[in-house]
Amino acid sequence: MNEMIRKTQSSVRHTSLDPQDWSAFRALAHRMLDETIDSIANVRARPVWQPIPDDVRAALKADVPREASDLAEVYREFAERVAPYATGNVHPGFMGWVHGGGTAVGMLAEMLAAGLNANLGGRDHMPIEVERQIVEWMRRLFAFPQGASGIFVTGTSMANLMAVLVARTSALGTLARQHGIGNDGALLTAYTSCAAHGCVSRAMDIAGLGTDALRKIDVDADHRIDVAALRTRIAIDREVGFKPFLVVASAGTVDIGAIDDLKAIAALCREEGIWFHVDGAFGALAILSAELAPMLGGIELADSIALDFHKWGQVPYDAGFLLVRDGEQHRQAFAQPAAYLRREARGLAAGTVWPCDLGPDLSRGFRALKTWFTLKTFGTDRLGAVIARSCALAKYLEVRVLAEPRLELLAPVNLNIVCFRYRANDETNREIVADIQESGIAAPSSTTLDGKFAIRAAIVNHRTDETDIDALVAAVLEFGAQRSGDGLIEVVAPPLAAQ
Ligand SMILES: *Cc1c(COP(=O)(O)O)cnc(C)c1O
């Protein structure tokens, strides 16, 4: 027997993946950390983004690595082939989509979280308390009652989906989780504006309710949902036997940053007994700025709010979040008894509500830690000031666009997003965006507004300043002149002022 134990021990002895030589590992680890810090500190010296050369893309492809490689060699490959060709959102010239810039502090917190390798599905350990602390901070910031609940998720796409599921279970009762949505579920209808993010429609699809059950209500000139039209549509749907169950308002539309009239929608939802969810992916964190917070008036009346710390919150990806007013309804939509997840009065399995009761994930990483570090290290006032500053920079870009006859503003500037174009056709503007991205000077993205191609700049990164805005404007003018042929400017649209 002892012989057997000895044999087994010797055959498993060398399977640990820890370094054989900790001091060599430590030296390399310090170099990685130094180089990562350098790359963040010197980000301006690099292009915002650069196209991936064919040979670099090809060189990454390899067979399954059955044999071990030297860590230093793997790191070298990362440093040469991966890091230089990343998205570029760390760079202050990145203004595409809605991408956060991250911080060096967040980077460190990610490293610390990886060191703990905590699983935040449940059980009794301090990392869960950190997540609960952030839930509590969010509850206070949005003035939700005691008993509210919250959970970290990948992003607002997931948080919106979970809100649809909570609202669905609230409307149909928990038996629907067992029997399926049935005939009643087939009659459920949800409402959002036609400026809402596409993930709302996808959530209806994934929740099994179907995208047809999502009514997309018209918006006004400022891209805010037409509340009178919303009211009418709900009444019509009720009239013919549908069961309106959910309104998804936008606090910061993806195209132009419009904020729906949250107070009016809250009142309508209360009157109608409909779940009121706010997609505040980036806009909700404007609550941190005393100057901007009033624009979110009514958000405190929501039944649930989805937001991303990885956008305006500057927390490294990914860090989405869902806050639900009634924690019990949240739990009822996801909790499931399982013998192996039994809660005990003491020991590691203590605690009543675990995060796995509040969403579809069981094993979960420690997203809360980088958020906790970010909120504590900078303080919410300073993060709010960063948010307000990106709105001021958007105003600055608006002024620059309005002052330049060759440029045309395409939408009102509400928050941090500016949509404009060179006075030329769609095709030319599409080329201009790609030219600028490939130049490495800046990285705007694009959208379509009222059928027109728009160059879209979303100022999210805390590092962005006036020089980055000036560089973007100069690049649009230069590539615009090149593309439309030596100063021969083709005016296809009247100036905004004449509309
Ligand atoms: C970014 C965004 C989303 C999607 O969030 P992810 O974190 O990318 O999943 C949803 N709605 C709005 C308004 C957004 O800006």
Side-chain angles (χ1 to χ4, degrees), residues 35 78 185 256 284 306 310 316 339 377 389-390 414-415 424 438:
E35 290 178 3
F78 163 81
I256 72 159
H310 57 223
T377 305
R389 162 109 173 116
S390 49
N414 296 289
L415 287 172
E438 287 177 1

Side-chain angles (χ1 to χ4, degrees), residues 62-75:
D63 280 343
V64 175
R66 293 199 185 275
E67 299 294 322
S69 297
D70 193 21
L71 173 61
E73 187 49 35
V74 179
Y75 174 58

Side-chain angles (χ1 to χ4, degrees), residues 98 155-157 160 197 199 252-254 279 281-282 308 310-311:
V98 184
T156 290
S157 302
N160 282 341
H197 195 276
C199 68
T253 59
V254 65
D279 174 355
F282 69 94
D308 281 325
H310 57 223
K311 289 176 174 169

